[in-house]
Amino acid sequence: GNLKKPLLELGGKGPNIIFEDADLDAAIQGSLFAAYHNQGQACIAGSRIFVHKSIWDTFVRRFLERIKSLRIGNPLEETTQMGPLTSKDHQKRVLEYVDVAKAEGGEILYGGKTPGTPETAHGYYVMPTLVRADDPKMRVCQEEIFGPFITITPFTEEASAVAMANGVPYGLGAGFW
């Protein structure tokens, strides 16, 4: 008689806001881990990055360098940094968001496909994906993708970054750099 029927909202679409005075090394490493740990299959994943326009070019260049250096492969290997997704259906669902992003005007900066290597041929792998999404109302910015899929959006005013960060129905965590 005393048991309650709880409803848990465990979806996530966490923001990482990178301000112009951020320690870029820390912000890059922290944002990379926040979004891609466990292949992005985490409710608290920081899968939306907002970068101040004054440091945009430097941040994006360095962030892409780090993404490209990630080792994708067998999760039982010690050197692997990203393994497969949980199922074929989930892999298909994550990859469908690439088409959604393109249809809504997003620019695929990296990834958006399977690795295509012999080592990853027998698993449900998706390359770490980075999508420039200038409109925070795009589906890829609003819906939990639950995979290695980051949107990155420039901002100029702190108030607009905070509004974009708060502009989703999820609120499990956030990063400020």
Side-chain angles (χ1 to χ4, degrees), residues 49-158:
I49 300 176
F50 302 102
V51 180
H52 194 276
K53 212 168 202 166
S54 67
I55 60 167
W56 174 266
D57 291 336
T58 301
F59 182 89
V60 171
R61 179 183 49 78
R62 290 184 54 199
F63 196 68
L64 281 168
E65 288 170 2
R66 283 289 291 123
I67 291 172
K68 292 173 184 179
S69 75
L70 291 174
R71 291 180 304 277
I72 303 168
N74 183 340
L76 300 176
E77 296 292 327
E78 205 172 301
T79 59
T80 296
Q81 294 173 302
M82 280 188 62
L85 297 180
T86 57
S87 70
K88 185 175 185 170
D89 287 342
H90 187 56
Q91 178 195 44
K92 180 181 176 201
R93 181 180 173 273
V94 170
L95 290 171
E96 285 172 353
Y97 275 101
V98 174
D99 294 330
V100 170
K102 290 177 183 176
E104 293 182 327
E107 178 187 357
I108 310 302
L109 299 177
Y110 189 76
K113 58 187 176 184
T114 61
T117 62
E119 182 182 23
T120 59
H122 301 292
Y124 308 117
Y125 294 87
V126 173
M127 290 178 66
T129 300
L130 182 64
V131 176
R132 179 174 178 155
D134 290 341
D135 180 359
K137 297 296 182 196
M138 294 168 62
R139 282 182 55 200
V140 294
C141 297
Q142 293 290 312
E143 297 176 10
E144 184 181 40
I145 298 172
F146 213 67
F149 195 109
I150 297 174
T151 60
I152 188 165
T153 305
F155 74 91
T156 54
E157 301 295 325
E158 181 178 329

